[in-house]
Amino acid sequence: GPPHVGMTVDADEILAVIDAAGPDVGIVTLAPELPGGLDLVRHLVASGRRVSIGHTGASYEQALAAIDAGARHATHLFNAMPPLLHRAPGAIAAILERQETMAEIVVDGHHVHAPVVRMALALLGRGQLRHARANHGWASDADPIADDQSSSVI
């Protein structure tokens, strides 16, 4: 299972660390299935933070609950998530289904196969899919994958 199995989320502790960092923390990636995860999503959103689903073993229902609680982003779609299966769609299906989410996807020919990138693009649309680098940086302006070579939005 995921490395965080058995962990709990202490929302107050996490919020204190984020508040201490001030404006340096613009987005928080979390696994909403952890005990206390949905409460943390709500607290972060209420405090003006952007919440991202990622590094998660969340089920479809758990991911939908996180989106309903205010998560509006997905970190490295398809990576560090259970695969999309027809009887266990998981977080991936919830993210692709809900148009209020923006997803990062690593487009490097290694992390996600090209047809899967095209499928995500077809489902989310250009405005909702962001090209991320595996090293956590955004695509450069010269990256040929970017739509117009001046944007990190696919």
Side-chain angles (χ1 to χ4, degrees):
H4 58 282
V5 170
M7 292 177 62
T8 59
V9 176
D10 182 334
D12 291 334
E13 181 180 333
I14 292 169
L15 289 171
V17 170
I18 291 169
D19 287 342
D24 293 334
V25 178
I27 187 166
V28 178
T29 299
L30 58 79
E33 73 276 12
L34 293 177
L38 288 178
D39 287 337
L40 182 57
V41 171
R42 290 183 196 99
H43 286 297
L44 289 166
V45 170
S47 68
R49 305 292 179 184
R50 186 166 178 82
V51 177
S52 186
I53 299 168
H55 302 274
T56 181
S59 68
Y60 171 78
E61 293 79 12
Q62 290 166 324
L64 284 181
I67 294 166
D68 288 342
R72 294 291 179 267
H73 198 93
T75 300
H76 295 179
L77 185 64
F78 296 102
N79 299 117
M81 297 177 180
L84 176 65
L85 301 172
H86 73 289
R87 297 227 180 253
I92 294 168
I95 293 160
L96 291 173
E97 181 178 71
R98 297 292 289 271
Q99 292 299 305
E100 65 262 47
T101 59
M102 176 175 276
E104 300 171 17
I105 192 166
V106 180
V107 184
D108 63 1
H110 172 73
H111 283 80
V112 182
H113 202 283
V116 177
V117 173
R118 288 191 297 270
M119 177 191 71
L121 181 58
L123 291 169
L124 285 174
R126 289 196 179 273
Q128 295 303 104
L129 193 61
R130 207 168 168 94
H131 175 199
R133 292 184 175 178
N135 67 359
H136 303 283
W138 297 116
S140 73
D141 290 346
D143 194 313
I145 302 290
D147 183 36
D148 61 5
Q149 296 196 18
S150 66
S151 172
S152 61
V153 176
I154 295 176

